[in-house]
Amino acid sequence: MNTRIHKVALLFIVLLSGCTTIEPYNYGPLKQAAPRSILVLPPMNSSVEVSAPYTYLSTVTKPLAEKGYYVFPVSVVDNFLKENGLPTPAEMNGIALDKIDEIIGADAVLYVHIQDWGQKFLVLSSVSVVQGGLKLVSVKTGKLLWEAPINAQYSPNDNSSGGLLGALVVAVVSQIAGEISDNTPQVARMANNMAFNSAKRGLLNGPYKNVKSSN
């Protein structure tokens, strides 16, 4: 009887361990394509914050360049597309890949979708939120090379230790400060860092990683 119970327990443990196994991310398409240059299009925006796409756009070039990729200047590309009849991010995201290849010559396009953005005011807290997703697509083949969520938040109330009264005071102060300063660029940088440098599914280093100038 004890032997049977022991076997059942072992089987249960094996099943549990199998359920918690995380499959490694498939980097095959990214390695095969080996992109050197990336075009970042202004994000699609499902949040209520109209400024979210271009605020996020200002935070993404540096981490991509630090990963070792050439990133087309986002403001130059944005102005170029607007001057050529594509005034909104939605229209820019609809550009055919063969046109991007012909006109810009990028190896890959990074598509960004913002789902939630901005400062949320609660009764006893104030939280700045950035949430969405990234998709890197090959310009030549249209294949998905890499994707990851972007998700981060920041609350100045996290360090509050003064009980209910202290929480109320911090909440009031943070709401007033939130109307003056915008924490979302900082939170977006946090989200980018987690997405691009994740140990499980971060973006692989590009060809220019650690390349030193000869000057």
Short mmCIF file of all heavy atoms in Angstrom, two decimals, residues 135-193:
data_model
loop_
_atom_site.label_atom_id
_atom_site.label_comp_id
_atom_site.label_asym_id
_atom_site.label_seq_id
_atom_site.Cartn_x
_atom_site.Cartn_y
_atom_site.Cartn_z
N LYS A 135 7.01 43.49 -32.04
CA LYS A 135 7.18 42.44 -33.05
C LYS A 135 8.23 42.90 -34.05
O LYS A 135 8.08 43.95 -34.68
CB LYS A 135 5.86 42.14 -33.77
CG LYS A 135 4.84 41.41 -32.91
CD LYS A 135 3.62 41.00 -33.73
CE LYS A 135 2.64 40.21 -32.88
NZ LYS A 135 1.46 39.75 -33.67
N LEU A 136 9.27 42.09 -34.20
CA LEU A 136 10.32 42.36 -35.18
C LEU A 136 10.09 41.47 -36.39
O LEU A 136 10.05 40.24 -36.25
CB LEU A 136 11.69 42.10 -34.56
CG LEU A 136 12.90 42.51 -35.41
CD1 LEU A 136 12.97 44.04 -35.53
CD2 LEU A 136 14.19 41.97 -34.80
N VAL A 137 9.94 42.09 -37.55
CA VAL A 137 9.57 41.36 -38.77
C VAL A 137 10.63 41.57 -39.85
O VAL A 137 11.13 42.69 -40.04
CB VAL A 137 8.19 41.83 -39.28
CG1 VAL A 137 7.85 41.18 -40.62
CG2 VAL A 137 7.12 41.52 -38.25
N SER A 138 10.95 40.50 -40.56
CA SER A 138 11.91 40.59 -41.66
C SER A 138 11.30 41.35 -42.83
O SER A 138 10.18 41.05 -43.26
CB SER A 138 12.32 39.19 -42.12
OG SER A 138 13.03 39.25 -43.35
N VAL A 139 12.03 42.31 -43.37
CA VAL A 139 11.54 43.07 -44.52
C VAL A 139 11.54 42.20 -45.77
O VAL A 139 10.64 42.30 -46.61
CB VAL A 139 12.40 44.34 -44.72
CG1 VAL A 139 12.08 45.01 -46.06
CG2 VAL A 139 12.19 45.32 -43.58
N LYS A 140 12.51 41.33 -45.89
CA LYS A 140 12.64 40.50 -47.10
C LYS A 140 11.57 39.42 -47.19
O LYS A 140 11.02 39.16 -48.26
CB LYS A 140 14.02 39.85 -47.13
CG LYS A 140 15.18 40.81 -47.31
CD LYS A 140 15.21 41.42 -48.70
CE LYS A 140 16.47 42.25 -48.92
NZ LYS A 140 16.46 42.91 -50.25
N THR A 141 11.27 38.77 -46.06
CA THR A 141 10.39 37.61 -46.09
C THR A 141 9.04 37.83 -45.40
O THR A 141 8.11 37.05 -45.62
CB THR A 141 11.07 36.41 -45.41
OG1 THR A 141 11.23 36.68 -44.00
CG2 THR A 141 12.43 36.14 -46.03
N GLY A 142 8.94 38.85 -44.56
CA GLY A 142 7.71 39.06 -43.81
C GLY A 142 7.56 38.15 -42.61
O GLY A 142 6.53 38.18 -41.92
N LYS A 143 8.57 37.34 -42.33
CA LYS A 143 8.50 36.42 -41.21
C LYS A 143 8.71 37.14 -39.88
O LYS A 143 9.48 38.10 -39.80
CB LYS A 143 9.56 35.32 -41.35
CG LYS A 143 9.27 34.31 -42.45
CD LYS A 143 10.33 33.21 -42.45
CE LYS A 143 10.03 32.17 -43.52
NZ LYS A 143 11.08 31.11 -43.55
N LEU A 144 8.03 36.64 -38.86
CA LEU A 144 8.24 37.15 -37.51
C LEU A 144 9.59 36.64 -37.00
O LEU A 144 9.83 35.44 -36.95
CB LEU A 144 7.12 36.67 -36.58
CG LEU A 144 7.23 37.08 -35.11
CD1 LEU A 144 7.10 38.59 -34.96
CD2 LEU A 144 6.18 36.37 -34.28
N LEU A 145 10.46 37.57 -36.63
CA LEU A 145 11.79 37.20 -36.16
C LEU A 145 11.88 37.12 -34.64
O LEU A 145 12.62 36.31 -34.09
CB LEU A 145 12.83 38.21 -36.67
CG LEU A 145 12.89 38.42 -38.18
CD1 LEU A 145 13.97 39.43 -38.53
CD2 LEU A 145 13.12 37.10 -38.91
N TRP A 146 11.11 37.99 -33.98
CA TRP A 146 11.17 38.06 -32.52
C TRP A 146 9.99 38.87 -32.03
O TRP A 146 9.53 39.80 -32.70
CB TRP A 146 12.48 38.73 -32.09
CG TRP A 146 12.62 39.01 -30.63
CD1 TRP A 146 12.97 38.13 -29.65
CD2 TRP A 146 12.41 40.27 -29.96
NE1 TRP A 146 13.00 38.75 -28.42
CE2 TRP A 146 12.66 40.07 -28.58
CE3 TRP A 146 12.04 41.54 -30.39
CZ2 TRP A 146 12.55 41.09 -27.65
CZ3 TRP A 146 11.93 42.56 -29.46
CH2 TRP A 146 12.18 42.33 -28.11
N GLU A 147 9.47 38.52 -30.87
CA GLU A 147 8.41 39.31 -30.26
C GLU A 147 8.52 39.23 -28.75
O GLU A 147 9.07 38.26 -28.20
CB GLU A 147 7.02 38.84 -30.71
CG GLU A 147 6.66 37.42 -30.31
CD GLU A 147 5.25 37.05 -30.76
OE1 GLU A 147 4.42 37.96 -30.97
OE2 GLU A 147 4.98 35.84 -30.88
N ALA A 148 8.01 40.25 -28.09
CA ALA A 148 8.08 40.30 -26.63
C ALA A 148 7.06 41.31 -26.11
O ALA A 148 6.73 42.28 -26.80
CB ALA A 148 9.48 40.68 -26.16
N PRO A 149 6.58 41.10 -24.90
CA PRO A 149 5.71 42.11 -24.29
C PRO A 149 6.54 43.25 -23.72
O PRO A 149 7.71 43.07 -23.38
CB PRO A 149 5.02 41.33 -23.16
CG PRO A 149 6.02 40.27 -22.79
CD PRO A 149 6.74 39.91 -24.06
N ILE A 150 5.95 44.42 -23.65
CA ILE A 150 6.54 45.52 -22.88
C ILE A 150 5.56 45.82 -21.75
O ILE A 150 4.39 46.09 -21.98
CB ILE A 150 6.80 46.78 -23.74
CG1 ILE A 150 5.60 47.13 -24.63
CG2 ILE A 150 8.05 46.61 -24.58
CD1 ILE A 150 5.75 48.44 -25.37
N ASN A 151 6.06 45.73 -20.55
CA ASN A 151 5.17 45.84 -19.40
C ASN A 151 5.96 46.32 -18.19
O ASN A 151 6.85 45.62 -17.71
CB ASN A 151 4.52 44.48 -19.10
CG ASN A 151 3.37 44.59 -18.12
OD1 ASN A 151 3.10 45.66 -17.59
ND2 ASN A 151 2.70 43.49 -17.87
N ALA A 152 5.65 47.51 -17.71
CA ALA A 152 6.31 48.03 -16.52
C ALA A 152 5.41 49.06 -15.86
O ALA A 152 4.54 49.66 -16.51
CB ALA A 152 7.66 48.66 -16.86
N GLN A 153 5.61 49.24 -14.58
CA GLN A 153 4.87 50.28 -13.87
C GLN A 153 5.71 50.82 -12.73
O GLN A 153 6.63 50.17 -12.25
CB GLN A 153 3.54 49.75 -13.34
CG GLN A 153 3.65 48.65 -12.30
CD GLN A 153 2.28 48.17 -11.84
OE1 GLN A 153 1.35 48.04 -12.63
NE2 GLN A 153 2.14 47.91 -10.55
N TYR A 154 5.39 52.04 -12.34
CA TYR A 154 6.12 52.69 -11.26
C TYR A 154 5.14 53.41 -10.35
O TYR A 154 4.23 54.10 -10.81
CB TYR A 154 7.12 53.71 -11.83
CG TYR A 154 7.68 54.65 -10.79
CD1 TYR A 154 8.64 54.23 -9.88
CD2 TYR A 154 7.23 55.97 -10.72
CE1 TYR A 154 9.14 55.10 -8.91
CE2 TYR A 154 7.72 56.85 -9.77
CZ TYR A 154 8.67 56.41 -8.87
OH TYR A 154 9.16 57.27 -7.92
N SER A 155 5.33 53.22 -9.05
CA SER A 155 4.49 53.89 -8.08
C SER A 155 5.35 54.49 -6.98
O SER A 155 6.10 53.76 -6.32
CB SER A 155 3.48 52.92 -7.46
OG SER A 155 2.76 53.56 -6.41
N PRO A 156 5.29 55.79 -6.77
CA PRO A 156 6.06 56.40 -5.67
C PRO A 156 5.56 55.96 -4.31
O PRO A 156 6.23 56.15 -3.31
CB PRO A 156 5.84 57.90 -5.89
CG PRO A 156 4.56 58.00 -6.64
CD PRO A 156 4.52 56.79 -7.52
N ASN A 157 4.37 55.34 -4.26
CA ASN A 157 3.80 54.89 -2.99
C ASN A 157 4.42 53.60 -2.50
O ASN A 157 4.18 53.18 -1.37
CB ASN A 157 2.29 54.68 -3.13
CG ASN A 157 1.59 55.90 -3.68
OD1 ASN A 157 1.68 56.16 -4.88
ND2 ASN A 157 0.93 56.66 -2.84
N ASP A 158 5.23 52.94 -3.36
CA ASP A 158 5.79 51.65 -2.97
C ASP A 158 6.67 51.74 -1.74
O ASP A 158 6.82 50.79 -0.99
CB ASP A 158 6.61 51.06 -4.13
CG ASP A 158 5.71 50.62 -5.28
OD1 ASP A 158 4.50 50.46 -5.04
OD2 ASP A 158 6.23 50.44 -6.39
N ASN A 159 7.28 52.92 -1.51
CA ASN A 159 8.18 53.08 -0.38
C ASN A 159 7.52 53.70 0.84
O ASN A 159 8.17 54.06 1.80
CB ASN A 159 9.39 53.93 -0.79
CG ASN A 159 10.21 53.26 -1.88
OD1 ASN A 159 10.37 52.04 -1.89
ND2 ASN A 159 10.71 54.05 -2.83
N SER A 160 6.20 53.87 0.78
CA SER A 160 5.50 54.49 1.89
C SER A 160 5.38 53.53 3.06
O SER A 160 5.01 52.37 2.90
CB SER A 160 4.10 54.92 1.45
OG SER A 160 3.37 55.43 2.54
N SER A 161 5.72 54.00 4.27
CA SER A 161 5.65 53.14 5.45
C SER A 161 5.02 53.87 6.62
O SER A 161 5.28 53.56 7.77
CB SER A 161 7.06 52.65 5.83
OG SER A 161 7.91 53.76 6.08
N GLY A 162 4.18 54.85 6.35
CA GLY A 162 3.60 55.65 7.41
C GLY A 162 2.16 55.31 7.72
O GLY A 162 1.43 56.14 8.25
N GLY A 163 1.73 54.09 7.38
CA GLY A 163 0.37 53.70 7.67
C GLY A 163 -0.62 54.39 6.76
O GLY A 163 -0.28 54.92 5.70
N LEU A 164 -1.89 54.39 7.19
CA LEU A 164 -2.97 54.96 6.36
C LEU A 164 -2.76 56.45 6.12
O LEU A 164 -2.89 56.93 5.00
CB LEU A 164 -4.32 54.72 7.04
CG LEU A 164 -5.55 55.27 6.31
CD1 LEU A 164 -5.66 54.66 4.92
CD2 LEU A 164 -6.81 55.00 7.12
N LEU A 165 -2.42 57.19 7.18
CA LEU A 165 -2.21 58.63 7.04
C LEU A 165 -1.05 58.92 6.10
O LEU A 165 -1.13 59.78 5.22
CB LEU A 165 -1.95 59.27 8.40
CG LEU A 165 -1.71 60.79 8.40
CD1 LEU A 165 -2.91 61.51 7.80
CD2 LEU A 165 -1.42 61.28 9.81
N GLY A 166 0.03 58.15 6.27
CA GLY A 166 1.19 58.34 5.40
C GLY A 166 0.85 58.03 3.96
O GLY A 166 1.28 58.73 3.04
N ALA A 167 0.05 56.98 3.75
CA ALA A 167 -0.34 56.61 2.39
C ALA A 167 -1.19 57.70 1.75
O ALA A 167 -1.05 58.01 0.57
CB ALA A 167 -1.11 55.29 2.40
N LEU A 168 -2.08 58.30 2.54
CA LEU A 168 -2.92 59.39 2.03
C LEU A 168 -2.08 60.59 1.63
O LEU A 168 -2.29 61.20 0.58
CB LEU A 168 -3.96 59.79 3.09
CG LEU A 168 -5.14 58.85 3.27
CD1 LEU A 168 -5.94 59.24 4.51
CD2 LEU A 168 -6.04 58.88 2.04
N VAL A 169 -1.11 60.93 2.49
CA VAL A 169 -0.24 62.08 2.20
C VAL A 169 0.57 61.83 0.94
O VAL A 169 0.65 62.69 0.05
CB VAL A 169 0.70 62.36 3.39
CG1 VAL A 169 1.73 63.41 3.01
CG2 VAL A 169 -0.10 62.81 4.60
N VAL A 170 1.16 60.63 0.84
CA VAL A 170 1.96 60.29 -0.34
C VAL A 170 1.11 60.29 -1.60
O VAL A 170 1.52 60.75 -2.66
CB VAL A 170 2.66 58.93 -0.15
CG1 VAL A 170 3.33 58.49 -1.45
CG2 VAL A 170 3.68 59.01 0.97
N ALA A 171 -0.13 59.79 -1.48
CA ALA A 171 -1.02 59.74 -2.64
C ALA A 171 -1.34 61.14 -3.14
O ALA A 171 -1.32 61.41 -4.34
CB ALA A 171 -2.30 59.00 -2.28
N VAL A 172 -1.63 62.06 -2.21
CA VAL A 172 -1.94 63.43 -2.59
C VAL A 172 -0.73 64.10 -3.24
O VAL A 172 -0.84 64.74 -4.29
CB VAL A 172 -2.40 64.25 -1.36
CG1 VAL A 172 -2.51 65.72 -1.72
CG2 VAL A 172 -3.73 63.73 -0.84
N VAL A 173 0.43 63.92 -2.62
CA VAL A 173 1.66 64.53 -3.16
C VAL A 173 1.98 63.97 -4.53
O VAL A 173 2.33 64.70 -5.46
CB VAL A 173 2.85 64.30 -2.19
CG1 VAL A 173 4.15 64.74 -2.84
CG2 VAL A 173 2.62 65.05 -0.90
N SER A 174 1.86 62.64 -4.69
CA SER A 174 2.20 62.02 -5.97
C SER A 174 1.22 62.42 -7.06
O SER A 174 1.60 62.56 -8.23
CB SER A 174 2.24 60.49 -5.84
OG SER A 174 0.97 59.98 -5.49
N GLN A 175 -0.05 62.63 -6.71
CA GLN A 175 -1.02 63.08 -7.70
C GLN A 175 -0.71 64.49 -8.16
O GLN A 175 -0.78 64.80 -9.35
CB GLN A 175 -2.44 63.00 -7.14
CG GLN A 175 -2.95 61.58 -7.00
CD GLN A 175 -4.44 61.53 -6.68
OE1 GLN A 175 -5.18 62.45 -7.01
NE2 GLN A 175 -4.87 60.45 -6.06
N ILE A 176 -0.33 65.36 -7.22
CA ILE A 176 0.04 66.73 -7.58
C ILE A 176 1.30 66.72 -8.44
O ILE A 176 1.38 67.39 -9.47
CB ILE A 176 0.27 67.58 -6.32
CG1 ILE A 176 -1.05 67.74 -5.55
CG2 ILE A 176 0.84 68.94 -6.69
CD1 ILE A 176 -0.90 68.41 -4.20
N ALA A 177 2.28 65.91 -8.02
CA ALA A 177 3.53 65.82 -8.78
C ALA A 177 3.28 65.22 -10.16
O ALA A 177 3.91 65.61 -11.15
CB ALA A 177 4.55 64.98 -8.02
N GLY A 178 2.34 64.27 -10.23
CA GLY A 178 2.04 63.62 -11.50
C GLY A 178 1.45 64.57 -12.51
O GLY A 178 1.59 64.38 -13.72
N GLU A 179 0.77 65.60 -12.02
CA GLU A 179 0.21 66.59 -12.93
C GLU A 179 1.29 67.53 -13.46
O GLU A 179 1.11 68.19 -14.47
CB GLU A 179 -0.88 67.39 -12.21
CG GLU A 179 -2.10 66.54 -11.82
CD GLU A 179 -3.12 67.33 -11.01
OE1 GLU A 179 -2.83 68.51 -10.72
OE2 GLU A 179 -4.17 66.77 -10.69
N ILE A 180 2.42 67.58 -12.76
CA ILE A 180 3.51 68.46 -13.17
C ILE A 180 4.53 67.70 -14.01
O ILE A 180 4.99 68.18 -15.05
CB ILE A 180 4.20 69.07 -11.92
CG1 ILE A 180 3.18 69.88 -11.11
CG2 ILE A 180 5.38 69.93 -12.33
CD1 ILE A 180 3.71 70.37 -9.79
N SER A 181 4.91 66.51 -13.56
CA SER A 181 5.92 65.72 -14.26
C SER A 181 5.31 64.42 -14.79
O SER A 181 4.37 63.89 -14.21
CB SER A 181 7.09 65.40 -13.33
OG SER A 181 6.65 64.63 -12.23
N ASP A 182 5.87 63.93 -15.87
CA ASP A 182 5.38 62.71 -16.51
C ASP A 182 6.41 61.60 -16.32
O ASP A 182 7.55 61.70 -16.79
CB ASP A 182 5.14 62.98 -18.00
CG ASP A 182 4.57 61.77 -18.72
OD1 ASP A 182 4.22 60.79 -18.05
OD2 ASP A 182 4.49 61.81 -19.95
N ASN A 183 6.01 60.54 -15.63
CA ASN A 183 6.93 59.43 -15.38
C ASN A 183 6.94 58.38 -16.48
O ASN A 183 7.75 57.45 -16.44
CB ASN A 183 6.56 58.73 -14.06
CG ASN A 183 6.84 59.60 -12.85
OD1 ASN A 183 7.86 60.28 -12.78
ND2 ASN A 183 5.93 59.59 -11.88
N THR A 184 6.04 58.50 -17.46
CA THR A 184 5.91 57.43 -18.44
C THR A 184 7.16 57.21 -19.30
O THR A 184 7.45 56.06 -19.65
CB THR A 184 4.69 57.64 -19.35
OG1 THR A 184 4.69 58.97 -19.87
CG2 THR A 184 3.41 57.40 -18.57
N PRO A 185 7.94 58.24 -19.67
CA PRO A 185 9.17 57.94 -20.41
C PRO A 185 10.12 57.04 -19.61
O PRO A 185 10.72 56.11 -20.16
CB PRO A 185 9.78 59.33 -20.65
CG PRO A 185 8.62 60.25 -20.64
CD PRO A 185 7.69 59.70 -19.60
N GLN A 186 10.24 57.32 -18.32
CA GLN A 186 11.09 56.49 -17.47
C GLN A 186 10.55 55.06 -17.39
O GLN A 186 11.31 54.09 -17.46
CB GLN A 186 11.15 57.09 -16.06
CG GLN A 186 11.88 56.23 -15.04
CD GLN A 186 11.74 56.77 -13.62
OE1 GLN A 186 11.27 57.88 -13.41
NE2 GLN A 186 12.14 55.97 -12.65
N VAL A 187 9.24 54.92 -17.27
CA VAL A 187 8.63 53.59 -17.20
C VAL A 187 8.79 52.86 -18.53
O VAL A 187 9.02 51.65 -18.57
CB VAL A 187 7.14 53.70 -16.80
CG1 VAL A 187 6.51 52.31 -16.72
CG2 VAL A 187 7.00 54.40 -15.46
N ALA A 188 8.68 53.59 -19.63
CA ALA A 188 8.88 52.98 -20.95
C ALA A 188 10.30 52.45 -21.10
O ALA A 188 10.52 51.37 -21.67
CB ALA A 188 8.57 53.99 -22.05
N ARG A 189 11.27 53.19 -20.57
CA ARG A 189 12.66 52.72 -20.62
C ARG A 189 12.82 51.44 -19.79
O ARG A 189 13.56 50.53 -20.17
CB ARG A 189 13.60 53.81 -20.13
CG ARG A 189 13.66 55.03 -21.05
CD ARG A 189 14.69 56.05 -20.59
NE ARG A 189 14.64 57.25 -21.41
CZ ARG A 189 13.96 58.35 -21.09
NH1 ARG A 189 13.30 58.40 -19.93
NH2 ARG A 189 13.93 59.38 -21.90
N MET A 190 12.15 51.39 -18.65
CA MET A 190 12.17 50.18 -17.83
C MET A 190 11.58 49.00 -18.60
O MET A 190 12.14 47.90 -18.60
CB MET A 190 11.38 50.41 -16.53
CG MET A 190 12.00 51.39 -15.56
SD MET A 190 10.84 51.91 -14.25
CE MET A 190 10.27 50.32 -13.62
N ALA A 191 10.45 49.25 -19.26
CA ALA A 191 9.79 48.19 -20.03
C ALA A 191 10.68 47.71 -21.18
O ALA A 191 10.77 46.51 -21.46
CB ALA A 191 8.45 48.69 -20.57
N ASN A 192 11.33 48.66 -21.86
CA ASN A 192 12.24 48.30 -22.95
C ASN A 192 13.41 47.45 -22.44
O ASN A 192 13.80 46.46 -23.07
CB ASN A 192 12.79 49.56 -23.62
CG ASN A 192 11.76 50.25 -24.47
OD1 ASN A 192 10.81 49.64 -24.94
ND2 ASN A 192 11.92 51.55 -24.66
N ASN A 193 13.96 47.86 -21.32
CA ASN A 193 15.09 47.12 -20.76
C ASN A 193 14.71 45.68 -20.44
O ASN A 193 15.46 44.74 -20.75
CB ASN A 193 15.59 47.82 -19.49
CG ASN A 193 16.78 47.11 -18.87
OD1 ASN A 193 17.82 46.95 -19.48
ND2 ASN A 193 16.62 46.67 -17.63
#
